[in-house]
Amino acid sequence: MKLHEYQSKRIFARYGIPVQEGEVATTPQEVRSLAEQMGCPVVVKAQVLVGGRGKAGGIKLARTPQEAEEVAARILSLQIKGLPVRKVLVARAADIQQEIYLGIVVDRAAARPVMMASSEGGVEIEEVARTHPEAIKKVHIDPFVGLRGYQTLSLAKGIGLPPALHRDFGRIAQGLYRSFVECDASLAEINPLVITPEGVLLALDAKIVLDDNGLFRHPDLAELRDIDEETPSERAAREAGLSFVQLDGDIGCMVNGAGLAMATMDIIQHFGGMPANFLDIGGGARADRVATALRLILADPRVKAVLFNIFGGITRCDEVARGIVSVLEEVRPNIPIVARLVGTNEAEGRQILESSGYGIITATTLAEAAQKAVAAATTSARD
Ligand code: GDP
Ligand code: MN
C-alpha cells in the first residue's frame, strides 16, 4: 500500500527528519488562502500515488497567492498516469542548491534492506540508475545489527557531501531506517533531499510503500488507505481476495497459483505476446471467483484474448470446466478464450469446454496454449 507524500512526510517528521511539510487542499481557493497564510513563494504539489509528478506538470512554484490559485486550478484538473488529482499539498517553497537521493528498499537477493544514496537526486534518478549506476552508493543493513554510523558516513562520503553535513545526514538516514522498520515498509524514500543555500538538509519529497502483509500490525497506517486512488479493478480484486496486478499487454491471464501465473506470463512473452495482467485465482477455482476474475480481466479494453491455465490437482478438471462454462454463460465475452486444463479428469474437462458452443480454444501443453493465445490476440477483432 502506497502512502501519499503528505502522509509520508508526517511519518518522517516523527522520526526527526527535517521535512518541508505543508498543508493539503482540495480547491484552488483553499490553496490561495494557504499561500496567503504561509507567505510566498509556495510550491503546489499534486497528491497522487504515482511517481514522476514533476515531469507530468503536477508540481509548480507560485510567487503570489493569485498565481498559487491559478496553478492549483490547473493541477487539480490534471490526470497523472490515469489518476485524477483530487488533492494538492501546499508548502513554503525551498531554495535548492543540490538535490540528493536517499532511499531504502528490501534487497531480496541479499535478504536484507539496502540503503541507497546519490548526489544526483531529483526527477532524473531512474535515468541515473540506468546510465551511470556507479553514481548510486549502497549499503546493506543487517537487520539484527541495524544501520551503523560507519555505514551512513560511507554513504555521505561516497556522494561527496560536505563534512559539515555528515552528522545531520547520519541522523536523517537513521530516521529513515527506523521509519522503514517500524512501519513494516517495503520502501522509504526521500527524493530530493536537498541542500539549501543556507547549507541545511531538507526533505522536499517523501514516499513510503507499506508491506500489505505487515498492515495488520498497523491499524493506524491501514486507515491511511486512500480508496479514491485504487483503480476500480484493484478494489474489486482486493475485495474478492484475488491477487491481481494490471499490466500493459493484451492477453488476459487466469491462472491458479502464483508460480504458475508467473510461468504463464513468461511463456506468453517468449512467444511474442504481452500479458495484460498477473492473476492468481487461488486454489479450488470456484465458479464465483472465476466469474469475478474474468470480469476484472474483461474490464480492461486492451485485452484481446484470455488464457486460462488451470492446474487441476485435487480440483477436478471437469469441475473447473463446468465452472468456466457457467461463467461464460453469464459474462459472454466477445473475444477468443484459450483454455489449458491439466490434471485429474482433463480429457473430460476438455470435452466439456469443446462442446460448450462458446468456441473455446483448447490446448494440452503450456507452450501450445501460449502460442494459441498469442495468435488469437493478434487476429482478435476487439478494438
Ligand atoms: P516527483 O516528481 O513526483 O518526484 O515530485 P517531487 O516532490 O520530487 O518534485 C519534483 C521536483 O520539483 C523536485 O526534484 C524539485 O526539483 C522540484 N521542487 C519540489 N519542491 C520544490 C521547492 O520547494 N522548491 C523548488 N525550488 N523546487 C521544488
Ligand atoms: Mn520526488
Side-chain angles (χ1 to χ4, degrees), residues 5 9 20 41-48 50-56 58-61 91-96 99 121-125 189-194 202 204-207:
E5 174 190 359
K9 279 181 166 171
Q20 168 219 48
V42 291
V43 60
V44 183
K45 312 184 74 178
Q47 297 299 289
V48 279
V50 289
R53 297 165 302 161
K55 285 187 173 174
I59 312 278
K60 295 279 180 221
L61 293 169
R92 265 311 283 260
D95 288 329
I96 301 176
E99 300 193 46
V123 298
E124 299 293 347
I125 191 69
E189 186 182 85
I190 306 172
N191 185 35
L193 172 66
V194 301
L202 182 64
L204 289 201
D205 192 7
K207 181 171 177 182

Side-chain angles (χ1 to χ4, degrees), residues 260-271:
L260 191 59
M262 288 190 277
T264 307
M265 291 161 58
D266 282 352
I267 201 155
I268 286 174
Q269 275 195 285
H270 176 77
F271 287 115

Side-chain angles (χ1 to χ4, degrees), residues 150-213:
Y150 75 88
Q151 295 183 299
T152 62
L153 185 60
S154 95
L155 285 178
K157 286 183 171 166
I159 65 170
L161 206 66
L165 290 176
H166 286 184
R167 184 189 288 263
D168 283 347
F169 179 83
R171 285 204 192 104
I172 292 170
Q174 292 290 354
L176 190 67
Y177 178 64
R178 280 206 296 127
S179 69
F180 172 84
V181 171
E182 287 175 20
C183 295
D184 286 319
S186 57
L187 176 145
E189 186 182 85
I190 306 172
N191 185 35
L193 172 66
V194 301
I195 307 178
T196 68
E198 297 78 42
V200 296
L201 290 166
L202 182 64
L204 289 201
D205 192 7
K207 181 171 177 182
I208 295 178
V209 180
L210 300 169
D211 180 347
D212 289 346
N213 297 308

Side-chain angles (χ1 to χ4, degrees), residues 76-89:
L76 284 164
S77 65
L78 285 179
Q79 283 217 356
I80 301 183
K81 297 180 184 165
L83 292 172
V85 180
R86 295 195 170 90
K87 294 189 279 269
V88 291
L89 179 66

